[in-house]
Short mmCIF file of all heavy atoms in Angstrom, two decimals:
data_model
loop_
_atom_site.label_atom_id
_atom_site.label_comp_id
_atom_site.label_asym_id
_atom_site.label_seq_id
_atom_site.Cartn_x
_atom_site.Cartn_y
_atom_site.Cartn_z
N ILE S 1 21.22 30.34 -20.11
CA ILE S 1 21.41 31.48 -19.23
C ILE S 1 22.83 32.02 -19.40
O ILE S 1 23.80 31.27 -19.32
CB ILE S 1 21.16 31.11 -17.75
CG1 ILE S 1 19.71 30.64 -17.57
CG2 ILE S 1 21.46 32.29 -16.84
CD1 ILE S 1 19.41 30.10 -16.18
N GLY S 2 22.94 33.32 -19.64
CA GLY S 2 24.24 33.95 -19.77
C GLY S 2 24.90 34.14 -18.41
O GLY S 2 24.25 34.60 -17.46
N VAL S 3 26.19 33.79 -18.33
CA VAL S 3 26.94 33.93 -17.07
C VAL S 3 28.13 34.83 -17.34
O VAL S 3 29.12 34.45 -17.96
CB VAL S 3 27.39 32.56 -16.53
CG1 VAL S 3 28.09 32.75 -15.19
CG2 VAL S 3 26.21 31.62 -16.38
N THR S 4 28.02 36.07 -16.88
CA THR S 4 29.01 37.11 -17.11
C THR S 4 30.28 36.89 -16.28
O THR S 4 30.25 36.17 -15.28
CB THR S 4 28.38 38.47 -16.75
OG1 THR S 4 29.33 39.50 -16.87
CG2 THR S 4 27.86 38.45 -15.34
N PRO S 5 31.39 37.54 -16.65
CA PRO S 5 32.61 37.43 -15.82
C PRO S 5 32.41 37.96 -14.40
O PRO S 5 33.20 37.62 -13.51
CB PRO S 5 33.62 38.30 -16.59
CG PRO S 5 33.12 38.36 -17.98
CD PRO S 5 31.63 38.29 -17.89
N TRP S 6 31.38 38.79 -14.19
CA TRP S 6 31.17 39.40 -12.88
C TRP S 6 30.19 38.61 -12.03
O TRP S 6 29.80 39.05 -10.95
CB TRP S 6 30.69 40.84 -13.06
CG TRP S 6 31.70 41.63 -13.83
CD1 TRP S 6 32.85 42.18 -13.35
CD2 TRP S 6 31.69 41.88 -15.23
NE1 TRP S 6 33.56 42.77 -14.38
CE2 TRP S 6 32.88 42.61 -15.55
CE3 TRP S 6 30.81 41.57 -16.27
CZ2 TRP S 6 33.18 43.03 -16.84
CZ3 TRP S 6 31.11 41.99 -17.56
CH2 TRP S 6 32.28 42.71 -17.82
N ALA S 7 29.79 37.44 -12.48
CA ALA S 7 28.89 36.58 -11.71
C ALA S 7 29.70 35.68 -10.79
O ALA S 7 30.91 35.47 -10.98
CB ALA S 7 28.04 35.73 -12.65
N ASP S 8 29.03 35.14 -9.79
CA ASP S 8 29.62 34.12 -8.93
C ASP S 8 29.50 32.80 -9.70
O ASP S 8 28.42 32.20 -9.78
CB ASP S 8 28.87 34.05 -7.60
CG ASP S 8 29.48 33.05 -6.62
OD1 ASP S 8 29.83 31.93 -7.05
OD2 ASP S 8 29.59 33.38 -5.43
N ILE S 9 30.61 32.35 -10.28
CA ILE S 9 30.59 31.19 -11.16
C ILE S 9 30.12 29.93 -10.44
O ILE S 9 29.30 29.16 -10.96
CB ILE S 9 31.99 30.95 -11.77
CG1 ILE S 9 32.46 32.18 -12.56
CG2 ILE S 9 31.99 29.70 -12.64
CD1 ILE S 9 31.60 32.53 -13.74
N GLY S 10 30.62 29.72 -9.23
CA GLY S 10 30.25 28.53 -8.48
C GLY S 10 28.77 28.49 -8.16
O GLY S 10 28.11 27.45 -8.31
N MET S 11 28.23 29.61 -7.70
CA MET S 11 26.80 29.67 -7.37
C MET S 11 25.96 29.45 -8.63
O MET S 11 24.97 28.70 -8.59
CB MET S 11 26.44 31.02 -6.74
CG MET S 11 24.97 31.14 -6.36
SD MET S 11 24.52 32.79 -5.74
CE MET S 11 25.50 32.84 -4.24
N ALA S 12 26.34 30.09 -9.72
CA ALA S 12 25.58 29.95 -10.96
C ALA S 12 25.56 28.50 -11.43
O ALA S 12 24.51 27.97 -11.82
CB ALA S 12 26.17 30.85 -12.04
N ALA S 13 26.71 27.83 -11.39
CA ALA S 13 26.79 26.44 -11.86
C ALA S 13 25.96 25.51 -10.98
O ALA S 13 25.29 24.59 -11.47
CB ALA S 13 28.24 25.98 -11.89
N GLU S 14 25.98 25.77 -9.68
CA GLU S 14 25.22 24.91 -8.76
C GLU S 14 23.72 25.03 -9.00
O GLU S 14 22.99 24.04 -8.97
CB GLU S 14 25.54 25.31 -7.32
CG GLU S 14 24.82 24.45 -6.28
CD GLU S 14 25.17 24.84 -4.85
OE1 GLU S 14 26.04 25.72 -4.66
OE2 GLU S 14 24.56 24.27 -3.92
N ILE S 15 23.25 26.27 -9.27
CA ILE S 15 21.82 26.48 -9.46
C ILE S 15 21.38 26.04 -10.86
O ILE S 15 20.32 25.42 -11.03
CB ILE S 15 21.47 27.96 -9.22
CG1 ILE S 15 21.81 28.36 -7.78
CG2 ILE S 15 19.98 28.20 -9.49
CD1 ILE S 15 21.67 29.83 -7.50
N ILE S 16 22.18 26.35 -11.87
CA ILE S 16 21.83 25.97 -13.25
C ILE S 16 21.85 24.46 -13.40
O ILE S 16 20.93 23.87 -13.97
CB ILE S 16 22.79 26.64 -14.25
CG1 ILE S 16 22.52 28.15 -14.31
CG2 ILE S 16 22.68 26.01 -15.64
CD1 ILE S 16 23.51 28.93 -15.14
N GLY S 17 22.91 23.82 -12.90
CA GLY S 17 23.00 22.37 -12.91
C GLY S 17 22.72 21.76 -14.28
O GLY S 17 23.14 22.29 -15.32
N PRO S 18 21.97 20.66 -14.32
CA PRO S 18 21.67 19.99 -15.59
C PRO S 18 20.43 20.53 -16.30
O PRO S 18 20.04 20.02 -17.34
CB PRO S 18 21.43 18.54 -15.16
CG PRO S 18 20.84 18.66 -13.79
CD PRO S 18 21.52 19.86 -13.16
N ARG S 19 19.82 21.61 -15.75
CA ARG S 19 18.51 22.05 -16.25
C ARG S 19 18.60 23.02 -17.41
O ARG S 19 17.68 23.09 -18.23
CB ARG S 19 17.73 22.69 -15.10
CG ARG S 19 17.48 21.74 -13.93
CD ARG S 19 16.75 22.46 -12.82
NE ARG S 19 17.50 23.61 -12.33
CZ ARG S 19 16.92 24.72 -11.88
NH1 ARG S 19 15.61 24.85 -11.90
NH2 ARG S 19 17.67 25.72 -11.43
N TYR S 20 19.69 23.81 -17.47
CA TYR S 20 19.81 24.83 -18.50
C TYR S 20 21.23 24.83 -19.05
O TYR S 20 22.15 24.28 -18.43
CB TYR S 20 19.50 26.22 -17.92
CG TYR S 20 18.17 26.32 -17.22
CD1 TYR S 20 18.10 26.46 -15.84
CD2 TYR S 20 16.98 26.27 -17.94
CE1 TYR S 20 16.88 26.53 -15.18
CE2 TYR S 20 15.75 26.34 -17.29
CZ TYR S 20 15.72 26.47 -15.91
OH TYR S 20 14.50 26.53 -15.27
N VAL S 21 21.41 25.47 -20.19
CA VAL S 21 22.76 25.65 -20.75
C VAL S 21 23.43 26.79 -19.99
O VAL S 21 22.86 27.87 -19.83
CB VAL S 21 22.69 25.98 -22.24
CG1 VAL S 21 24.11 26.22 -22.79
CG2 VAL S 21 22.01 24.86 -23.02
N PHE S 22 24.63 26.52 -19.53
CA PHE S 22 25.47 27.51 -18.85
C PHE S 22 26.29 28.20 -19.94
O PHE S 22 27.23 27.63 -20.48
CB PHE S 22 26.38 26.78 -17.85
CG PHE S 22 27.20 27.64 -16.94
CD1 PHE S 22 26.91 27.72 -15.59
CD2 PHE S 22 28.30 28.34 -17.42
CE1 PHE S 22 27.69 28.49 -14.72
CE2 PHE S 22 29.08 29.11 -16.58
CZ PHE S 22 28.77 29.18 -15.23
N SER S 23 25.91 29.45 -20.29
CA SER S 23 26.58 30.17 -21.37
C SER S 23 27.59 31.14 -20.76
O SER S 23 27.26 32.27 -20.40
CB SER S 23 25.56 30.91 -22.23
OG SER S 23 26.16 31.43 -23.39
N SER S 24 28.82 30.68 -20.66
CA SER S 24 29.85 31.42 -19.94
C SER S 24 30.54 32.44 -20.83
O SER S 24 30.82 32.19 -22.00
CB SER S 24 30.89 30.43 -19.40
OG SER S 24 31.94 31.12 -18.75
N LYS S 25 30.84 33.60 -20.25
CA LYS S 25 31.54 34.67 -20.95
C LYS S 25 32.80 35.04 -20.18
O LYS S 25 32.78 35.88 -19.29
CB LYS S 25 30.64 35.91 -21.09
CG LYS S 25 29.23 35.64 -21.58
CD LYS S 25 29.21 35.04 -22.96
CE LYS S 25 27.81 34.90 -23.52
NZ LYS S 25 26.92 34.06 -22.69
N PRO S 26 33.94 34.42 -20.50
CA PRO S 26 35.19 34.79 -19.84
C PRO S 26 35.53 36.25 -20.10
O PRO S 26 35.04 36.87 -21.06
CB PRO S 26 36.22 33.86 -20.48
CG PRO S 26 35.43 32.73 -21.03
CD PRO S 26 34.11 33.32 -21.44
N ASN S 27 36.39 36.81 -19.28
CA ASN S 27 36.73 38.23 -19.36
C ASN S 27 37.58 38.52 -20.60
O ASN S 27 38.69 38.02 -20.72
CB ASN S 27 37.48 38.65 -18.11
CG ASN S 27 37.50 40.16 -17.94
OD1 ASN S 27 37.45 40.90 -18.92
ND2 ASN S 27 37.57 40.60 -16.71
N PRO S 28 37.08 39.35 -21.55
CA PRO S 28 37.86 39.64 -22.76
C PRO S 28 39.09 40.50 -22.48
O PRO S 28 39.95 40.64 -23.35
CB PRO S 28 36.86 40.38 -23.65
CG PRO S 28 35.89 40.99 -22.71
CD PRO S 28 35.76 40.02 -21.57
N ALA S 29 39.17 41.09 -21.28
CA ALA S 29 40.36 41.87 -20.94
C ALA S 29 41.61 41.01 -20.94
O ALA S 29 42.72 41.53 -21.04
CB ALA S 29 40.17 42.55 -19.58
N SER S 30 41.44 39.70 -20.85
CA SER S 30 42.62 38.82 -20.80
C SER S 30 43.45 38.88 -22.07
O SER S 30 44.65 38.61 -22.04
CB SER S 30 42.17 37.37 -20.56
OG SER S 30 41.39 36.89 -21.65
N VAL S 31 42.83 39.24 -23.22
CA VAL S 31 43.58 39.30 -24.48
C VAL S 31 43.96 40.73 -24.84
O VAL S 31 44.64 40.96 -25.85
CB VAL S 31 42.80 38.66 -25.64
CG1 VAL S 31 42.53 37.20 -25.35
CG2 VAL S 31 41.49 39.41 -25.91
N ALA S 32 43.56 41.71 -24.04
CA ALA S 32 43.84 43.12 -24.33
C ALA S 32 45.12 43.57 -23.65
O ALA S 32 45.19 44.61 -23.01
CB ALA S 32 42.67 43.99 -23.88
N VAL S 33 46.17 42.77 -23.81
CA VAL S 33 47.41 42.99 -23.06
C VAL S 33 48.63 42.79 -23.97
O VAL S 33 48.55 42.13 -25.01
CB VAL S 33 47.50 41.99 -21.88
CG1 VAL S 33 46.46 42.31 -20.83
CG2 VAL S 33 47.33 40.55 -22.37
N PRO S 34 49.78 43.38 -23.61
CA PRO S 34 50.99 43.18 -24.41
C PRO S 34 51.45 41.73 -24.44
O PRO S 34 51.94 41.24 -25.46
CB PRO S 34 52.03 44.08 -23.72
CG PRO S 34 51.24 45.05 -22.93
CD PRO S 34 50.00 44.34 -22.51
N ILE S 35 51.29 41.02 -23.32
CA ILE S 35 51.69 39.62 -23.23
C ILE S 35 50.58 38.84 -22.52
O ILE S 35 50.17 39.19 -21.41
CB ILE S 35 53.01 39.45 -22.45
CG1 ILE S 35 54.14 40.23 -23.14
CG2 ILE S 35 53.38 37.97 -22.34
CD1 ILE S 35 55.45 40.20 -22.40
N LEU S 36 50.09 37.81 -23.18
CA LEU S 36 49.01 37.01 -22.61
C LEU S 36 49.50 36.28 -21.36
O LEU S 36 50.53 35.61 -21.38
CB LEU S 36 48.52 36.00 -23.64
CG LEU S 36 47.26 35.21 -23.29
CD1 LEU S 36 46.04 36.13 -23.30
CD2 LEU S 36 47.05 34.07 -24.29
N ASN S 37 48.75 36.41 -20.27
CA ASN S 37 49.07 35.70 -19.03
C ASN S 37 48.40 34.34 -19.08
O ASN S 37 47.24 34.18 -18.70
CB ASN S 37 48.60 36.51 -17.83
CG ASN S 37 49.05 35.90 -16.50
OD1 ASN S 37 49.26 34.69 -16.39
ND2 ASN S 37 49.19 36.75 -15.49
N GLU S 38 49.13 33.34 -19.56
CA GLU S 38 48.53 32.02 -19.77
C GLU S 38 48.14 31.35 -18.47
O GLU S 38 47.14 30.64 -18.41
CB GLU S 38 49.49 31.14 -20.58
CG GLU S 38 49.74 31.67 -21.98
CD GLU S 38 50.45 30.66 -22.87
OE1 GLU S 38 50.60 29.49 -22.43
OE2 GLU S 38 50.83 31.02 -23.99
N ASP S 39 48.91 31.57 -17.42
CA ASP S 39 48.57 30.95 -16.14
C ASP S 39 47.24 31.50 -15.61
O ASP S 39 46.38 30.74 -15.14
CB ASP S 39 49.67 31.21 -15.11
CG ASP S 39 50.95 30.45 -15.43
OD1 ASP S 39 50.87 29.43 -16.15
OD2 ASP S 39 52.03 30.86 -14.96
N ALA S 40 47.06 32.82 -15.71
CA ALA S 40 45.80 33.43 -15.24
C ALA S 40 44.64 32.96 -16.10
O ALA S 40 43.53 32.71 -15.58
CB ALA S 40 45.92 34.95 -15.28
#
């Protein structure tokens, strides 16, 4: 199951659990910047 950056990550993980693959898609906007915010 695909889990978009706009999903509720906690809810998705709780429901998916051990039954399905959690296919996470972090926000690509994080690399579209002059300086990468490593803490974020």
Side-chain angles (χ1 to χ4, degrees):
I1 298 174
V3 183
T4 176
W6 301 280
D8 183 316
I9 301 298
M11 181 185 295
E14 181 179 355
I15 299 172
I16 289 173
R19 300 178 301 147
Y20 306 109
V21 178
F22 187 110
S23 190
S24 177
K25 313 298 186 301
N27 197 331
S30 64
V31 299
V33 291
I35 301 176
L36 189 69
N37 187 332
E38 296 192 9
D39 291 337

